[in-house]
Amino acid sequence: MDRRSSTAAAGPSGDERIKPVSWMDLPRKDQLIVITLTRLSEPLVQTSLQAYMVYQLRWFDPTLPDSVISTQAGILHASFTAAQLLTAMLWGRLADSARFGRKTVVLVGLGGTMLSCIGYGFSTTFSTALFFRSLGGITNGNVGVLRTMISEIIQEKKYQSRAFLLLPMTFNIGVIVGPPLGGILSDLAGSYPSIFGHVSFFRDFPYAAPNIISAFILFVALVSVWLCLEETLDARRDTRDLGIELGRKIVGIIRTYVFRRQFEVAYTPLASRGTSTDVEMSPLPSSSSLADESPLESSVGQTRRRRPRYTKRLPFRRIFTRNVTFTLFSQFLMAFHVGTFNALWFVFLSTPVYDPAKPPQSIDPLPRRLPFFFTGGMGLQPREIGMAMSILGVLGIGLQLFLYPTLSARLGTVRSWRLFLTLFPVTYFIVPYLSLVPSSPASPPPLPKDGIAMWASIAAVLFLQVLGRTFALPANTILVNNCTPHPSVLGTLHGVAQSVSSMARTIGPMLCGYLYGLGLARGVVGAVWWGLSGVAFCGFLASWWVREGNGHEIWLEGDEEDE
């Protein structure tokens, strides 16, 4: 039985456009905080290693030319998403199953990524690093699962523009902290010889320190999920959770021994007529009973007593409706160019500056002739790369906090998505021209670029890219979530979407990393960026076939209306 809502394609109402909800209006903020911190741990780890990846590859084999290094960087960057491509749909299905559920999949993802960090940090060859990067991707399907959990916690559309902004916001926070962390902690013996130069551990494993810190951050996230994150899958809400029970006992102990005085006495309210009017100081219930009957547990108990919204599961073959197909295709194109930019940007910043005395590394290079035939990069060091990426993060956080919710509420999800997709083709087209920006007189070629003009140009390019990404990524997540034909396959669809995104983020960096190295050797470094601009323009065109669904396009027998 199919029943379609007449408002399936409708955007926010007029009142919602004018008066967006505030951050404090979001329900279940305790669970949203845990999910946000969980997601934050992963982009922090990924952006940390990108700050020094090119230099680590050169440490593996100093004899390799820059063109080969850029190709290896693309492969290493894509290996994580390639492995996710193979397993993301499986993790989505397991997250939808009553045997595993959402929380178990998240715990496995955090644990696998933690182990891969440790192995990657102690790698001494390209093949070993590739293995551990792939291990992290195989075990990690958390992005789709966390999006699913947010959509099950936040079911009202008026809250979605802020709730679904939390995960992209964590990327920007990770970009602010991760690259400087990786740049400062990488190769401590070489960067700070007077302090760490005599320590054999840092000489033998120069890139272990940032990965050990990353593994510790992931461990903290894993423990917080086990102790604090509640299961959102209907079929597992009545299942005993030892982690939650232990977490509540810890809270009870803290209340008993740390905040005891705050819970011992309090005023008893004045009695109503017909009862005693004495005002006295009376003891409150014991801290242990407060822990047992906390608002958190009370709300969970109410949720568990609620009837399930659905009793049947939509067959997998019925998931791919017309709108789902177009939405996933648009996501593929956007993930392709955004993921490729994230990979190539680090390589471009690390690429040596063009040296007129040193011709391109090719037997048949094209002659240098502006505005299209030129080569070279920025030549920045890991710490400077970390600074450049922090600019991206700071810009993103500011836009997401103060501009996105209001503007998205006024324009609606689909309109704001299409509008800001137009920024990506422009950004990618002008990126290679950064290599032509003059450096300061104190840093002539082939020395790394420096100076006000260089940093202002980087900030301008990143502003355009971050502005587009700030609006496009959360809107795309909302559209994927709302195009779900039935809530019983919500986790599965997010798993499919993550597989589609992983495929794009695998093909893009690998293909464009190879083309970047080829263009660098032939003397036309901008070719791959201009091709990426074309892909972004195709993504804008594809957006016109996408509409916003209502998350329950297909109705099955036994389905209940959302409360």
Side-chain angles (χ1 to χ4, degrees), residues 353-354 360 368 373-377 435-436 519-525:
V353 176
Y354 170 71
R368 183 178 176 88
F373 296 97
F374 59 93
T375 188
S435 65
L436 302 179
L520 190 65
R522 292 296 304 277
V524 56
V525 72

Side-chain angles (χ1 to χ4, degrees), residues 37-46 48-49 80 106-119 133 136 139-140 142 181 210-226:
L37 294 177
T38 302
R39 180 67 185 120
L40 172 62
S41 65
E42 295 177 10
L44 192 151
V45 170
Q46 302 302 327
S48 171
L49 68 90
F80 185 88
V106 173
L107 290 172
V108 172
L110 290 172
T113 307
M114 180 180 67
L115 293 177
S116 73
C117 273
I118 296 174
R133 283 285 289 162
T139 57
N140 194 317
N142 285 359
L181 181 69
N211 285 279
I212 291 174
I213 298 298
S214 296
F216 175 75
I217 293 171
L218 287 164
F219 176 75
V220 172
L222 187 150
V223 172
S224 67
V225 167
W226 185 53

